[in-house]
Amino acid sequence: MAVIKMRVSKLRKAKSVEDSRHKSASREPKEGQGSNPRRANGDAPVEPQQREVCAFCDDGGELICCDGGCLRSFHPTKEHGERSMCTSLGLNEAKWEKHKALGEKGLYFCNNCKHKQHQCFACGLLGSSNLTAEPEVFKCKHRKCGHFYHPGCVAEILYPDNKAKATCFEQCVAGGLEFSCPVHKCKRCKEAENKHDKEMQFAVCRRCPTAYHRKCLPRDISLTEDEEEAMPQRAWDGILPDQILIYCRKHDIQKELGTPKRDHIVFPDVRNPGAAERHRGAPQEHGILDEDELVDRNPSQSPGPAETGSGRVKPIDSFAPKHLFSRPQPGSCGWLDD
Ligand SMILES: [Zn+2]
Ligand SMILES: [Zn+2]
Ligand SMILES: [Zn+2]
Ligand SMILES: [Zn+2]
Ligand SMILES: [Zn+2]
Ligand SMILES: [Zn+2]
């Protein structure tokens, strides 16, 4: 079921003169969490925080949710993404309405999930997540976490000071060991999240595996813009339920967007297998309707030439350099025991 969400949005000074404190504190009623919540494995309802905003622009509004493992949502049409200057999936408005009318039958799988090619959340590169045929990236074990990692990338973050352990961990993950990714421990105090204690709620970076407790949030990841110190706003409260949305200090904020550069999403190029395609508002295939039926064929939205090569593209600028990732406390064994 592709759930359609209406959420409050980030308000950025550049775009709005509304009182952002008032607006961001308000909440639209939640859809998809009523009498028929999403379920995984038939147990508890699944509402991952990362699904609440568009994966391209991190803004709310009407979103189409992927029914695959990535647990992401996207602005479906240009119009829906207009306020946040989001390229969106570029779907045609009429077809989007038709898709919505399908309700539960209207499945949608993004091209990453459809073709089992997901990006590593640490390095940004695409890799096969097909567990039946030499997988390269593996999903975090947490039900509400849609992040995939290369075994080597997640091992390096979890065991930065212990090469032997990192190598062992990497081999275990490649061999199918379930793992908890770095997003589930505070970068500063290494403790877990507690949604019921406000100070222990998490602030999670949208662009890399970095999270802090509210009480541990560095001063320069600020909920407000500080023009005097030329410090951009990097944190937003009230957009995600019981969680702060942040861009950590590894990512430069683009003033005109109010977000880091939006080159962080890479879909596999299905017309040119082996190549990958940065998101450019390209028309997407669809789980139920024919692609020709659904996509907007507006030529101005057609993607540029796909990058070819060995099946991988270069690391993406807005992904953080590896040496900046969170490190477990000295002397600790990292998070293998989680
Ligand atoms: Zn968007
Ligand atoms: Zn997906
Ligand atoms: Zn990686
Ligand atoms: Zn995770
Ligand atoms: Zn902490
Ligand atoms: Zn980050």
Side-chain angles (χ1 to χ4, degrees):
M1 176 183 63
V3 179
I4 297 128
K5 297 205 147 282
M6 297 294 293
R7 306 298 302 166
V8 292
S9 297
K10 268 183 289 184
L11 290 177
R12 301 184 188 99
K13 273 188 186 166
K15 278 179 255 154
S16 174
V17 292
E18 285 178 79
D19 177 3
S20 63
R21 280 175 60 213
H22 169 74
K23 178 80 174 188
S24 62
S26 71
R27 293 276 180 87
E28 304 271 349
K30 258 188 198 175
E31 289 181 24
Q33 274 196 313
S35 56
N36 187 22
R38 302 177 67 85
R39 282 170 192 276
N41 310 323
D43 48 29
V46 177
E47 275 303 321
Q49 271 104 340
Q50 68 188 81
R51 208 193 258 296
E52 303 282 332
V53 288
C54 171
F56 298 131
C57 68
D58 308 312
D59 205 352
E62 192 165 299
L63 303 169
I64 183 167
C65 299
C66 176
D67 285 289
C70 77
L71 306 180
R72 294 177 301 185
S73 301
F74 307 92
H75 281 126
T77 71
K78 282 258 178 207
E79 288 72 22
H80 288 111
E82 202 170 1
R83 179 181 52 188
S84 50
M85 292 178 275
C86 178
T87 49
S88 83
L89 288 175
L91 302 183
N92 174 291
E93 183 72 37
K95 301 301 177 191
W96 164 239
E97 289 300 326
K98 196 170 151 193
H99 172 77
K100 275 201 291 185
L102 288 173
E104 299 245 346
K105 282 184 272 174
L107 287 178
Y108 166 73
F109 292 93
C110 75
N111 267 345
N112 294 111
C113 291
K114 193 170 180 179
H115 299 281
K116 297 193 171 88
Q117 289 271 325
H118 287 94
Q119 283 173 270
C120 169
F121 194 47
C123 72
L125 295 175
L126 270 182
S128 168
S129 54
N130 186 351
L131 294 175
T132 61
E134 296 183 26
E136 296 165 300
V137 293
F138 297 81
K139 192 168 176 292
C140 168
K141 73 174 183 182
H142 289 276
R143 205 160 40 84
K144 293 186 182 183
C145 181
H147 298 314
F148 291 76
Y149 296 87
H150 291 114
C153 289
V154 72
E156 212 176 304
I157 300 171
L158 295 178
Y159 299 101
D161 303 317
N162 191 329
K163 194 129 182 60
K165 268 195 174 168
T167 304
C168 173
F169 185 78
E170 176 181 352
Q171 287 166 354
C172 289
V173 171
L177 176 81
E178 290 197 329
F179 65 97
S180 175
C181 84
V183 168
H184 311 286
K185 290 281 163 83
C186 171
K187 182 177 177 181
R188 179 162 286 177
C189 74
K190 317 303 173 199
E191 296 296 321
E193 179 181 31
N194 179 0
K195 289 194 199 311
H196 307 294
D197 176 351
K198 192 161 186 195
E199 287 304 301
M200 293 295 278
Q201 288 176 353
F202 261 7
V204 181
C205 182
R206 290 283 296 168
R207 297 298 178 86
C208 76
T210 298
Y212 297 94
H213 291 113
R214 189 183 286 271
K215 72 178 175 72
C216 299
L217 199 60
R219 200 189 136 264
D220 53 0
I221 301 184
S222 170
L223 285 156
T224 53
E225 185 182 356
D226 187 336
E227 277 168 25
E228 270 173 35
E229 289 190 46
M231 222 163 62
Q233 182 173 359
R234 287 183 172 275
W236 286 263
D237 215 348
I239 294 174
L240 306 175
D242 305 325
Q243 202 171 81
I244 300 173
L245 183 158
I246 66 168
Y247 303 114
C248 78
R249 290 167 293 188
K250 299 163 201 162
H251 322 283
D252 288 333
I253 304 291
Q254 309 281 301
K255 211 172 167 57
E256 65 286 1
L257 294 173
T259 69
K261 225 160 116 180
R262 295 178 184 169
D263 60 353
H264 58 299
I265 291 187
V266 180
F267 291 123
D269 182 352
V270 293
R271 292 151 308 180
N272 183 9
E277 177 181 50
R278 301 268 166 84
H279 173 70
R280 294 180 179 89
Q284 295 300 295
E285 290 190 55
H286 194 272
I288 287 285
L289 302 172
D290 289 337
E291 187 180 8
D292 288 342
E293 278 279 286
L294 186 71
V295 298
D296 188 344
R297 288 298 186 190
N298 179 348
S300 70
Q301 290 179 8
S302 62
E307 289 167 74
T308 52
S310 61
R312 290 188 167 186
V313 290
K314 285 183 198 147
I316 295 160
D317 298 345
S318 59
F319 273 81
K322 268 190 190 148
H323 68 273
L324 290 173
F325 281 121
S326 58
R327 301 160 77 85
Q329 280 169 324
S332 88
C333 297
W335 304 308
L336 184 57
D337 52 349
D338 183 75

mmCIF file of all heavy atoms in Angstrom, residues 140-142 145-147 149 179-184, ligand 4:
data_model
loop_
_atom_site.group_PDB
_atom_site.id
_atom_site.type_symbol
_atom_site.label_atom_id
_atom_site.label_comp_id
_atom_site.label_asym_id
_atom_site.label_seq_id
_atom_site.Cartn_x
_atom_site.Cartn_y
_atom_site.Cartn_z
ATOM 1 N N CYS A 140 20.266 -2.751 7.410
ATOM 2 C CA CYS A 140 20.288 -2.749 8.873
ATOM 3 C C CYS A 140 19.152 -3.623 9.398
ATOM 4 O O CYS A 140 18.086 -3.698 8.808
ATOM 5 C CB CYS A 140 20.122 -1.310 9.354
ATOM 6 S SG CYS A 140 19.777 -1.142 11.110
ATOM 7 N N LYS A 141 19.383 -4.259 10.540
ATOM 8 C CA LYS A 141 18.397 -5.230 11.044
ATOM 9 C C LYS A 141 17.130 -4.577 11.592
ATOM 10 O O LYS A 141 16.108 -5.237 11.754
ATOM 11 C CB LYS A 141 19.033 -6.093 12.137
ATOM 12 C CG LYS A 141 19.257 -5.358 13.455
ATOM 13 C CD LYS A 141 19.742 -6.302 14.546
ATOM 14 C CE LYS A 141 19.895 -5.582 15.871
ATOM 15 N NZ LYS A 141 20.412 -6.456 16.926
ATOM 16 N N HIS A 142 17.202 -3.277 11.889
ATOM 17 C CA HIS A 142 16.043 -2.646 12.523
ATOM 18 C C HIS A 142 14.889 -2.510 11.538
ATOM 19 O O HIS A 142 15.067 -2.039 10.423
ATOM 20 C CB HIS A 142 16.417 -1.276 13.103
ATOM 21 C CG HIS A 142 17.286 -1.392 14.311
ATOM 22 N ND1 HIS A 142 16.784 -1.600 15.574
ATOM 23 C CD2 HIS A 142 18.631 -1.371 14.439
ATOM 24 C CE1 HIS A 142 17.780 -1.687 16.437
ATOM 25 N NE2 HIS A 142 18.909 -1.554 15.775
ATOM 26 N N CYS A 145 14.307 0.845 10.016
ATOM 27 C CA CYS A 145 15.472 1.486 9.409
ATOM 28 C C CYS A 145 15.616 0.975 7.979
ATOM 29 O O CYS A 145 15.688 -0.230 7.755
ATOM 30 C CB CYS A 145 16.727 1.170 10.224
ATOM 31 S SG CYS A 145 18.218 1.943 9.571
ATOM 32 N N GLY A 146 15.671 1.874 7.027
ATOM 33 C CA GLY A 146 15.759 1.473 5.620
ATOM 34 C C GLY A 146 17.144 1.668 5.033
ATOM 35 O O GLY A 146 17.286 1.767 3.824
ATOM 36 N N HIS A 147 18.172 1.723 5.885
ATOM 37 C CA HIS A 147 19.519 1.987 5.384
ATOM 38 C C HIS A 147 20.263 0.703 5.035
ATOM 39 O O HIS A 147 20.204 -0.279 5.762
ATOM 40 C CB HIS A 147 20.327 2.776 6.415
ATOM 41 C CG HIS A 147 19.743 4.124 6.715
ATOM 42 N ND1 HIS A 147 19.316 4.989 5.728
ATOM 43 C CD2 HIS A 147 19.500 4.753 7.891
ATOM 44 C CE1 HIS A 147 18.840 6.088 6.284
ATOM 45 N NE2 HIS A 147 18.925 5.973 7.594
ATOM 46 N N TYR A 149 24.163 -0.874 3.706
ATOM 47 C CA TYR A 149 25.598 -0.563 3.826
ATOM 48 C C TYR A 149 26.436 -1.639 3.157
ATOM 49 O O TYR A 149 26.078 -2.823 3.172
ATOM 50 C CB TYR A 149 26.028 -0.518 5.304
ATOM 51 C CG TYR A 149 25.373 0.567 6.118
ATOM 52 C CD1 TYR A 149 24.140 0.336 6.724
ATOM 53 C CD2 TYR A 149 25.974 1.811 6.284
ATOM 54 C CE1 TYR A 149 23.518 1.323 7.470
ATOM 55 C CE2 TYR A 149 25.358 2.803 7.035
ATOM 56 C CZ TYR A 149 24.130 2.552 7.625
ATOM 57 O OH TYR A 149 23.515 3.530 8.367
ATOM 58 N N PHE A 179 22.981 -6.833 11.609
ATOM 59 C CA PHE A 179 23.723 -5.783 12.310
ATOM 60 C C PHE A 179 22.836 -4.572 12.540
ATOM 61 O O PHE A 179 21.853 -4.354 11.840
ATOM 62 C CB PHE A 179 24.975 -5.377 11.520
ATOM 63 C CG PHE A 179 24.651 -4.733 10.196
ATOM 64 C CD1 PHE A 179 24.622 -3.348 10.058
ATOM 65 C CD2 PHE A 179 24.348 -5.512 9.083
ATOM 66 C CE1 PHE A 179 24.307 -2.754 8.840
ATOM 67 C CE2 PHE A 179 24.029 -4.920 7.865
ATOM 68 C CZ PHE A 179 24.010 -3.541 7.744
ATOM 69 N N SER A 180 23.218 -3.808 13.560
ATOM 70 C CA SER A 180 22.526 -2.568 13.884
ATOM 71 C C SER A 180 23.403 -1.427 13.383
ATOM 72 O O SER A 180 24.574 -1.332 13.748
ATOM 73 C CB SER A 180 22.362 -2.489 15.405
ATOM 74 O OG SER A 180 21.801 -1.257 15.767
ATOM 75 N N CYS A 181 22.861 -0.573 12.546
ATOM 76 C CA CYS A 181 23.697 0.443 11.912
ATOM 77 C C CYS A 181 23.981 1.604 12.874
ATOM 78 O O CYS A 181 23.352 1.727 13.925
ATOM 79 C CB CYS A 181 23.075 0.889 10.591
ATOM 80 S SG CYS A 181 21.821 2.170 10.703
ATOM 81 N N PRO A 182 24.952 2.468 12.541
ATOM 82 C CA PRO A 182 25.388 3.513 13.483
ATOM 83 C C PRO A 182 24.315 4.544 13.840
ATOM 84 O O PRO A 182 24.478 5.288 14.803
ATOM 85 C CB PRO A 182 26.534 4.211 12.729
ATOM 86 C CG PRO A 182 26.962 3.258 11.680
ATOM 87 C CD PRO A 182 25.769 2.449 11.316
ATOM 88 N N VAL A 183 23.216 4.566 13.087
ATOM 89 C CA VAL A 183 22.153 5.544 13.331
ATOM 90 C C VAL A 183 21.459 5.322 14.679
ATOM 91 O O VAL A 183 20.804 6.212 15.200
ATOM 92 C CB VAL A 183 21.118 5.459 12.169
ATOM 93 C CG1 VAL A 183 19.845 6.209 12.473
ATOM 94 C CG2 VAL A 183 21.733 5.977 10.883
ATOM 95 N N HIS A 184 21.638 4.120 15.256
ATOM 96 C CA HIS A 184 20.857 3.781 16.451
ATOM 97 C C HIS A 184 21.594 4.022 17.761
ATOM 98 O O HIS A 184 21.128 3.614 18.822
ATOM 99 C CB HIS A 184 20.366 2.331 16.340
ATOM 100 C CG HIS A 184 19.715 2.067 15.012
ATOM 101 N ND1 HIS A 184 18.464 2.549 14.698
ATOM 102 C CD2 HIS A 184 20.175 1.445 13.888
ATOM 103 C CE1 HIS A 184 18.168 2.214 13.446
ATOM 104 N NE2 HIS A 184 19.188 1.548 12.940
HETATM 105 ZN ZN ZN B 4 19.762 1.154 11.007
#
